[in-house]
């Protein structure tokens, strides 16, 4: 019973963001209002994040079917486009064929409670697929050196491994 209590306590501590408070891990959230105009443009995965995603897929090849993005573009009309790296999809997919087709992609800014129980702006991306239900995913917004960074967790959020995107300078 003692062992179960210890394991349950560790799961709660690591799974609920309490480690951020205890070890003062850096907050990867922004607390100011973000304007839609700041988001418009092309966003690329950072080189460090690309290495992290590749390493993650080597450990968990089934995850590659989620089709990680390398680049996405947010348009002023609320539409978007996503470029996938088909090499991340694994050997079971043909490299000559467009594997993932969306009928539409749209984006908007919203707010969400972060791991520190504060409300932060997020980017919501919505996708519609033929013969399937749509998918909505969110990316957190962070600011470093006066530049916005969009990020989401690679795999399980409990691993605290972010995948970052930076805006391409025009």
């Amino acid at each position: 019973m003692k062992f179960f209590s210890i394991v349950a306590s560790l799961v709660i501590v690591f799974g609920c963001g309490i480690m951020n408070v205890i070890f003062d891990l850096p907050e990867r959230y922004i607390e100011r209002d973000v304007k839609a105009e700041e988001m418009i443009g092309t966003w690329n995965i950072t080189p460090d994040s690309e290495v992290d995603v590749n390493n993650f897929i080597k450990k968990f090849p089934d995850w590659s079917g989620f089709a990680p993005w390398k680049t996405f573009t947010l348009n002023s009309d609320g539409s978007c486009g996503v470029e996938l790296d088909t090499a991340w999809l694994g050997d079971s997919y043909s490299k000559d064929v467009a594997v993932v087709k969306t009928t539409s992609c749209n984006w908007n800014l919203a707010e969400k409670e972060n791991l520190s129980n504060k409300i932060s702006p997020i980017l919501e991306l919505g996708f519609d697929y033929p013969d399937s239900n749509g998918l909505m995913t969110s990316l957190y917004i962070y600011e470093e050196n006066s530049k916005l960074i969009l990020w989401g967790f690679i795999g399980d959020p409990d691993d605290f491994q972010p995948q970052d995107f930076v805006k391409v300078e025009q």
Side-chain angles (χ1 to χ4, degrees):
M1 188 67 171
K2 241 186 212 185
F3 177 74
F4 175 74
S5 297
I6 291 170
V7 170
S9 297
L10 289 173
V11 167
I12 290 170
V13 167
F14 284 101
C16 297
I18 295 171
M19 295 305 293
N20 286 350
V21 175
I22 294 172
F23 291 107
D24 197 28
L25 296 175
E27 291 287 322
R28 294 200 57 150
Y29 308 102
I30 192 170
E31 292 186 18
R32 71 170 176 83
D33 286 335
V34 176
K35 306 290 183 220
E37 295 79 29
E38 296 177 87
M39 307 306 296
I40 295 169
T42 299
W43 296 78
N44 288 341
I45 190 171
T46 63
D48 288 343
S49 289
E50 190 167 357
V51 168
D52 290 342
V53 169
N54 281 318
N55 289 337
F56 184 84
I57 289 172
K58 286 177 187 171
K59 288 184 202 171
F60 305 101
D62 291 340
W63 185 80
S64 63
F66 183 70
W69 318 319
K70 283 196 145 194
T71 299
F72 59 92
T73 302
L74 305 177
N75 302 313
S76 61
D77 65 357
S79 66
C80 51
V82 176
E83 178 185 319
L84 305 173
D85 182 347
T86 57
W88 283 344
L89 295 172
D91 294 332
S92 60
Y93 296 93
S94 168
K95 306 298 183 237
D96 301 326
V97 183
V99 176
V100 177
K101 294 181 182 178
T102 63
T103 56
S104 71
C105 172
N106 59 70
W107 69 274
N108 68 292
L109 290 171
E111 292 182 336
K112 184 177 181 179
E113 187 173 329
N114 62 39
L115 294 176
S116 298
N117 299 321
K118 296 178 184 174
I119 301 297
S120 297
I122 59 168
L123 173 71
E124 289 183 333
L125 294 165
F127 302 96
D128 290 323
Y129 297 94
D131 304 325
S132 158
N133 292 330
L135 168 73
M136 175 69 76
T137 190
S138 300
L139 295 173
Y140 292 100
I141 302 171
Y142 176 58
E143 192 167 30
E144 187 174 86
N145 300 323
S146 300
K147 291 188 179 187
L148 292 179
I149 298 169
L150 301 177
W151 69 276
F153 291 110
I154 300 171
D156 187 347
D158 290 341
D159 293 337
F160 297 107
Q161 186 172 13
Q163 174 181 354
D164 296 341
F165 297 89
V166 293
K167 192 173 180 183
V168 175
E169 298 294 325
Q170 300 296 336

